[in-house]
Amino acid sequence: MGKIVLRLDRMMVERKISLNDLAERVGISNVNLSRIKNNKVNAIRFSTLAAICEVLECGVGDILEYASDAQ
């Protein structure tokens, strides 16, 4: 079974935004955003995902990626 991989770190580099700045603008703690950025979460709220996409001006597909076991 494959898994969903968060590529938030890549989008943050592309948009030249720091963890602290993104966390403040999204309205979540630095610790929680760091966990999302480093793929240390099992779930993410749609409202958080929507806020991240709004701040980074990107789509959900720019942040989420499916990785099959074959990779």
Side-chain angles (χ1 to χ4, degrees):
M1 177 189 246
K3 63 181 180 175
I4 300 296
V5 179
L6 290 155
R7 299 291 185 203
L8 181 57
D9 54 344
R10 181 178 63 202
M11 286 305 300
M12 290 173 63
V13 169
E14 286 181 18
R15 299 297 194 255
K16 297 182 175 99
I17 189 167
S18 71
L19 182 82
N20 292 339
D21 190 26
L22 183 58
E24 183 178 319
R25 292 173 63 186
V26 169
I28 63 175
S29 72
N30 292 0
V31 172
N32 284 340
L33 186 60
S34 179
R35 289 177 52 82
I36 293 168
K37 179 180 169 248
N38 294 309
N39 279 294
K40 302 292 183 190
V41 294
N42 292 322
I44 182 170
R45 291 179 182 210
F46 285 154
S47 59
T48 301
L49 188 56
I52 290 170
C53 288
E54 185 173 326
V55 171
L56 295 179
E57 297 178 351
C58 68
V60 174
D62 296 319
I63 296 174
L64 300 177
E65 184 176 296
Y66 175 75
S68 68
D69 286 339
Q71 291 181 347

